[in-house]
């Protein structure tokens, strides 16, 4: 099965929150309400500088993905 890079999620327990889930390495959730990031795997041993740069890029891509999906949803 080919998985998408990002998916949108919500949960009735958190009615004000919208989550973007990144399914490639490093797998993580970002809560768009407060930009809090939760990693889904252990990143111990990874180069922190490289990981920070990659995360900055991935968070930007997650926001762009959400904006694109919402635009399509509104049409």
């Amino acid at each position: 099965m080919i998985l998408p890079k990002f998916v949108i999620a919500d949960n009735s327990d958190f009615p004000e929150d919208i989550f973007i889930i990144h399914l490639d390495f490093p797998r993580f959730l970002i809560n768009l309400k407060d930009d809090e990031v939760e990693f889904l795997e252990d990143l111990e041993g990874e180069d922190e500088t490289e990981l920070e740069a990659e995360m900055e890029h991935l968070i930007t891509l997650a926001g762009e993905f959400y904006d694109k999906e919402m635009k399509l949803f509104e049409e």
Side-chain angles (χ1 to χ4, degrees):
M1 172 187 337
I2 297 173
L3 297 176
K5 186 173 192 137
F6 295 105
V7 294
I8 298 173
D10 64 2
N11 187 299
S12 60
D13 291 336
F14 306 94
E16 302 298 318
D17 298 6
I18 298 173
F19 302 94
I20 301 294
I21 305 169
H22 181 254
L23 295 171
D24 289 342
F25 181 83
R27 293 180 305 140
F28 64 88
L29 291 144
I30 181 169
N31 185 338
L32 294 180
K33 181 177 99 177
D34 56 14
D35 290 336
E36 185 176 345
V37 174
E38 181 72 32
F39 290 96
L40 300 175
E41 53 205 341
D42 182 15
L43 298 175
E44 200 170 304
E46 296 295 321
D47 181 313
E48 286 186 39
T49 304
E50 185 178 318
L51 184 60
E52 282 181 30
E54 180 67 14
M55 284 306 300
E56 191 173 311
H57 176 69
L58 289 172
I59 289 170
T60 298
L61 290 178
E64 291 171 357
F65 165 76
Y66 176 76
D67 291 342
K68 180 188 75 144
E69 292 297 309
M70 290 302 100
K71 186 175 182 179
L72 291 171
F73 181 74
E74 291 170 358
E75 293 177 353

